[in-house]
Amino acid sequence: MKAMILAAGLGTRLLPVTKTCPKPLVEVAGRPLLEHQLVWLRRAGVNEVVINLHYLGEMIEAHIGNGERFGVQVTYSREDTLLDSGGGIAKALPLLGTSPFIWMLGDIWCPDMRFPMALPRTSLAHLILCPMLGKRHYGDFDLVQGQVLRNSHRPFIFTGVALLHPALFDGCPKVPFSMTRDLLFHRLGDNEVTGEIHTGDWADIGSEQALSALRARVES
C-alpha cells in the first residue's frame, strides 16, 4: 500500500514558528510531526510514501531521507510552483501507481486513526470525517448512508485523511487546484465519494494556538 503526505505548504497560519521550520517538522511529543505520521502509516501496513515538497523542502528531505529508519520507502515530488492539494497529487501520480492510495495532510495529529485500506464499490474517494464537537463553527460535509454530501446540514469536518483512486484525477491538469473545492465538490452525489466517521484523537495544527494546545495535551 502506498500513501502520499502533503508537505509542500507555506505554513503561513503557523507563523512565526514556520519562518525557519516547515510545518511537518514542527515537534510534538518530542518528535517532528512528520515522523509520527510515517510511523502511523507503517503501522497500518503502508510501505511506500510519497511526500511533496516546496517551502523549505530541502529541510524535510534532509531529515527524513529515504525513510528507511521509519520502516518505509520515501520518495519526493518536488514542486517549483506550489500546486495546492489537488495539483500536488496530480503531479505525483506517476510515483503513486494505479492502485488506491492513502492521502493525508502533513499538519494533522491522528495517532489512533484507522486508515482505510479498500474503496467501497463505485467509490473513487473515501473520506475520513470527524464530528465538529466544538472544534469549529461550521462543518465541511454530511454523511448519509455512507455517501458524502455537502448540503445545509454539515455536522462533520474532513480530517485530511482519505483513500483515493488515481482515476479520480483523470483529465486533471498539473496546475494549482484544490482537491476538495475544485474536484471533490463536483463528484458528490453519484456514489463516487464515500466516507466514514473517526471518533478518536484528531487535531488540525493550523495555528500557533492549536499547536500549543496539542502540545499541552499530549506532552503533559
Side-chain angles (χ1 to χ4, degrees):
M1 171 67 79
K2 294 186 179 183
M4 180 173 184
I5 299 175
L6 294 195
L10 302 177
T12 52
R13 293 185 300 158
L14 203 56
L15 286 169
V17 175
T18 50
K19 187 174 182 179
T20 57
C21 177
K23 193 190 302 189
L25 293 188
V26 169
E27 289 198 358
V28 178
R31 302 177 71 175
L33 178 60
L34 187 54
E35 287 192 17
H36 289 289
Q37 294 183 330
L38 291 174
V39 170
W40 301 334
L41 288 168
R42 182 199 65 203
R43 189 185 303 148
V46 170
N47 50 31
E48 297 182 48
V49 179
V50 176
I51 301 174
N52 69 335
L53 302 176
H54 178 71
Y55 176 67
L56 299 180
E58 68 281 358
M59 293 180 64
I60 294 174
E61 186 170 2
H63 185 83
I64 299 298
N66 64 7
E68 182 179 8
R69 62 194 174 104
F70 307 106
V72 294
Q73 176 186 330
V74 173
T75 54
Y76 298 95
S77 177
R78 298 169 184 83
E79 300 176 12
D80 295 330
T81 300
L82 194 60
L83 293 174
D84 205 342
S85 54
I89 299 170
K91 182 180 186 298
L93 285 179
L95 300 173
L96 291 163
T98 58
S99 299
F101 59 92
I102 294 169
W103 170 72
M104 71 184 301
L105 298 179
D107 61 355
I108 58 170
W109 175 263
C110 53
D112 57 355
M113 175 70 71
R114 189 187 72 82
F115 292 98
M117 306 303 282
L119 286 170
R121 189 176 62 86
T122 78
S123 179
L124 294 177
H126 190 72
L127 311 187
I128 306 301
L129 311 175
C130 71
M132 282 198 299
L133 297 178
K135 295 182 178 72
R136 293 199 323 221
H137 297 299
Y138 57 92
D140 300 314
F141 298 107
D142 196 2
L143 186 66
V144 178
Q145 296 181 343
Q147 272 200 79
V148 174
L149 303 173
R150 186 169 170 82
N151 48 33
S152 59
H153 179 63
R154 301 199 294 264
F156 301 111
I157 299 169
F158 178 40
T159 64
V161 175
L163 183 65
L164 306 177
H165 195 289
L168 179 69
F169 298 88
D170 286 352
C172 290
K174 297 179 180 62
V175 298
F177 70 91
S178 165
M179 194 193 79
T180 50
R181 183 182 62 252
D182 299 322
L183 184 57
L184 289 181
F185 282 5
H186 302 285
R187 309 297 287 262
L188 301 179
D190 293 324
N191 294 312
E192 291 184 335
V193 183
T194 56
E196 62 185 87
I197 306 301
H198 170 70
T199 57
D201 195 359
W202 177 83
D204 169 19
I205 308 172
S207 66
E208 192 173 7
Q209 294 77 13
L211 175 61
S212 296
L214 176 63
R215 283 173 168 169
R217 179 165 62 81
V218 302
E219 296 173 5
S220 58

